[in-house]
Amino acid sequence: LSIQVLFMFVGASYGMSQFDELDVLLKGYDSRLRPGGDSPVNVSFSAYVLSADNFNFEKGEFTVMLYFRQFWNDERLDVKQETVLRSPEGLWTPDMFVVNEKKQPPLEIDNFVRIRPGGEVLWSQRWVKVIKCYNLMVRFSNPDFKGETMCDIDIESYGHKSDDISFGERGEDEFKYEANFQYGKLKINKFDHRIFVSELESGSYSRLVLELTLTDDEV
């Protein structure tokens, strides 16, 4: 028995790649079960807006491209060395969706997953979304309008209530935008966020609101 244990130790230390180690951890892993046990799993976020364009002021729509990153801890994925994957396939992931997104044919999403010792997981995606923004219609109805226009991007879990998934802060300066972006006379003036619990008939759900503030270049 001692020889077998020694062999397993040597194999784990010298003969296994980070992917081999992950394969071992995934034996018996059920991606349908969220981490955290009886406590809600805490998910935090960061985002970087690459562009905002295709503004349709009459319909109150625009297209946004951004990197959207989610962080959580999965105690079942206690890897020994940092592991990077091209896909989260086979892992539990938060089921986030954009509440005020205009439904479009699905686009291929660029993404990667990073798992660190202790089970810290980062899931990074590049999103392209058509967002509904009523404030753009207000702008359209007033041709002489100049000033700031705020458009929200509302994000929440599709099926997990706040008892299962709670939203948390990562720290300051986690929400950024491309400083040189400009669309016609419009430019991004500010990109911020807020987190709260949304009360619906089906229950309470944590919600993340990304606040994109646009302003005229002439202002």
Side-chain angles (χ1 to χ4, degrees), residues 102-126:
K102 180 180 179 180
K103 298 305 179 185
Q104 300 287 325
L107 299 174
E108 183 176 349
I109 298 177
D110 298 325
N111 66 150
F112 78 89
V113 175
R114 184 190 69 206
I115 308 172
R116 286 180 169 170
E120 179 186 307
V121 184
L122 157 65
W123 183 20
S124 179
Q125 301 167 280
R126 184 178 66 88

Side-chain angles (χ1 to χ4, degrees), residues 13-151:
S13 302
Y14 298 102
M16 298 179 68
S17 70
Q18 65 266 42
F19 304 111
D20 294 330
E21 292 176 0
L22 182 60
D23 286 341
V24 172
L25 292 175
L26 289 178
K27 289 182 179 179
Y29 181 97
D30 191 342
S31 62
R32 296 170 298 180
L33 297 177
R34 64 169 180 81
D38 294 333
S39 301
V41 57
N42 183 268
V43 181
S44 57
F45 309 89
S46 71
Y48 187 93
V49 174
L50 297 167
S51 66
D53 52 26
N54 296 330
F55 287 91
N56 188 322
F57 297 97
E58 186 175 4
K59 292 183 178 181
E61 301 172 355
F62 73 102
T63 301
V64 63
M65 179 188 298
L66 72 157
Y67 291 124
F68 184 65
R69 306 179 184 98
Q70 304 176 66
F71 303 82
W72 68 93
N73 192 274
D74 191 332
E75 65 279 357
R76 300 168 293 180
L77 302 177
D78 188 10
V79 296
K80 301 304 179 186
Q81 50 187 322
E82 184 173 299
T83 304
V84 176
L85 307 172
R86 293 293 302 273
S87 166
E89 183 178 355
L91 305 179
W92 179 90
T93 55
D95 56 342
M96 300 300 161
F97 78 107
V98 178
V99 178
N100 58 330
E101 173 188 5
K102 180 180 179 180
K103 298 305 179 185
Q104 300 287 325
L107 299 174
E108 183 176 349
I109 298 177
D110 298 325
N111 66 150
F112 78 89
V113 175
R114 184 190 69 206
I115 308 172
R116 286 180 169 170
E120 179 186 307
V121 184
L122 157 65
W123 183 20
S124 179
Q125 301 167 280
R126 184 178 66 88
W127 281 0
V128 179
K129 303 287 187 182
V130 178
I131 302 298
K132 300 174 183 177
C133 176
Y134 173 77
N135 288 339
L136 292 178
M137 298 176 67
V138 174
R139 192 181 182 102
F140 174 78
S141 64
N142 185 359
D144 297 325
F145 179 92
K146 291 186 181 297
E148 292 184 342
T149 299
M150 180 181 289
C151 289

Side-chain angles (χ1 to χ4, degrees), residues 48-55 57 62-65 176-191 212-217:
Y48 187 93
V49 174
L50 297 167
S51 66
D53 52 26
N54 296 330
F55 287 91
F57 297 97
F62 73 102
T63 301
V64 63
M65 179 188 298
K176 302 179 181 180
Y177 61 91
E178 179 60 49
N180 295 323
F181 163 79
Q182 189 156 342
Y183 182 83
K185 295 182 180 181
L186 283 179
K187 64 179 181 180
I188 300 175
N189 188 45
K190 186 179 180 182
F191 182 45
L212 191 63
T213 304
L214 305 162
T215 189
D216 292 274
D217 188 39

